[in-house]
Amino acid sequence: MRIGFVGAGKAGCSLGRFFAGGGVPVTGYYSRHQGSAREAAEFTNSRFYDTLEELAGDSDALLLTVPDGAVTPVFQELAGYGMTGKQICHCSGAMTAGEAFPGIAGTGAYGYSIHPLFPFSDRLKCYRELPGAFFCIEGQGPHLEAWRALLEGLGAEVQVLAPEAKARYHAACSIASNLVCALVQESVELLEDCGFSGETALRALTPLIRSNTAHILERGPIEALTGPVERGDLGTVEKHLACLPEEAGALYRAVSRKLADMAARKHPEKDYTALERLLKEG
């Protein structure tokens, strides 16, 4: 299978090098930013294409590594070419193939979504970390198992998703990644209110975050749970709520209600009723 890339940013460069390094034929790159496409082609020992039509003609599968808002317009342009039997894939975590490629059946092509659970932070280095990453694939067509085999052959883990699960799946990824950033920022700002500088606050939190994250990954979030909610320490939780401003208090209550549920599962012999009642108030 010859794979061509539309888009030459962090994801496109990294995935292209990941595939090429594993012996998968990479046709080359097309991008509206020609300089980026030339660099990506050189980086993957493939070809720079002046036109989308020429890239499509030379490729069996096209990966649209473009921003989510550009996926459907690129597909609509591709639909004007001879696409029978081609595979068109996007890398959005939130969109299904059906949403991204409306009317694809009429073109004779097949649509898939291939989403790596991976933060692409560097165009030229991230490919090294992709073996061992997790990919979720989705779509309606005969090639899902071929994509699973290809990715697993490159060292990745693969989960096939039903289309109706895609939004919930992406929400789960966002909670584990983006929402954690918000929680840490809230902690930093509360420490700044205590007299810390922002830099010192983050440095003070670093051992706590690293240790807790390691325990979560080693033992699972329920077994790694510690703190006043797990202990059922009503007095400490009341103190926390009393000192927090309204927005931070609402965040604390919402997350702590989930912690209380986890604590009850970890310690079924303990009664968390009073704590749960407190966390629902306000």
Side-chain angles (χ1 to χ4, degrees):
M1 180 168 59
R2 299 167 302 164
I3 301 175
F5 283 83
V6 183
K10 295 173 185 176
C13 276
S14 300
L15 288 170
R17 184 66 176 264
F18 175 56
F19 287 138
V24 179
V26 174
T27 315
Y29 286 81
Y30 168 79
S31 174
R32 301 197 191 281
H33 304 285
Q34 291 192 354
S36 295
R38 290 183 188 277
E39 290 173 3
E42 182 178 351
F43 184 57
T44 56
N45 195 29
S46 63
R47 179 182 166 190
F48 161 73
Y49 283 82
D50 287 308
T51 69
L52 180 59
E53 183 176 11
E54 191 178 7
L55 174 65
D58 286 350
S59 304
D60 302 308
L62 291 165
L63 257 67
L64 311 189
T65 52
V66 297
D68 285 14
V71 170
T72 300
V74 170
F75 161 69
Q76 290 169 338
E77 185 176 349
L78 286 168
Y81 310 138
M83 299 304 295
T84 300
K86 305 280 188 182
Q87 300 173 51
I88 306 176
C89 312
H90 69 77
C91 295
S92 167
M95 287 192 294
T96 66
E99 291 168 337
F101 309 133
I104 192 171
T107 70
Y110 301 95
Y112 302 98
S113 66
I114 300 172
H115 182 247
L117 277 77
F118 185 83
F120 292 103
S121 58
D122 189 287
R123 290 179 77 225
L124 306 181
K125 297 178 181 177
C126 284
Y127 74 93
R128 300 169 184 161
E129 301 175 60
L130 284 171
F134 217 107
F135 285 71
C136 286
I137 59 177
E138 172 271 332
Q140 300 297 318
H143 307 97
L144 279 177
E145 286 306 314
W147 277 107
R148 182 206 288 271
L150 185 152
L151 291 165
E152 288 180 343
L154 295 173
E157 291 193 67
V158 181
Q159 176 71 38
V160 177
L161 292 174
E164 59 270 20
K166 198 71 188 290
R168 186 178 292 253
Y169 152 77
H170 195 247
C173 296
S174 295
I175 289 169
S177 180
N178 310 136
L179 269 61
V180 169
C181 295
L183 292 173
V184 173
Q185 181 62 27
E186 187 65 49
S187 295
V188 168
E189 291 175 6
L190 288 169
L191 287 179
E192 287 175 337
D193 292 341
C194 300
F196 287 69
S197 69
E199 182 181 346
T200 304
L202 190 58
R203 192 164 66 248
L205 291 168
T206 294
L208 179 66
I209 294 169
R210 281 184 175 154
S211 177
N212 198 46
T213 300
H215 293 158
I216 290 169
L217 298 179
E218 290 167 7
R219 299 159 54 196
I222 292 177
E223 286 304 312
L225 181 60
T226 63
V229 171
E230 188 217 9
R231 296 193 300 270
D233 187 346
L234 203 65
T236 297
V237 173
E238 286 177 330
K239 283 184 177 181
H240 290 173
L241 290 170
C243 76
L244 292 173
E246 183 177 355
E247 186 174 337
L251 179 65
Y252 183 98
R253 287 180 190 276
V255 177
S256 293
R257 284 195 291 270
K258 184 64 178 180
L259 293 182
D261 175 70
M262 293 165 61
R265 291 161 66 185
K266 184 177 181 181
H267 303 291
E269 75 285 356
K270 293 182 69 172
D271 183 5
Y272 289 92
T273 304
L275 181 62
E276 291 167 348
R277 188 183 305 118
L278 172 64
L279 293 170
K280 288 178 182 177
E281 294 172 359

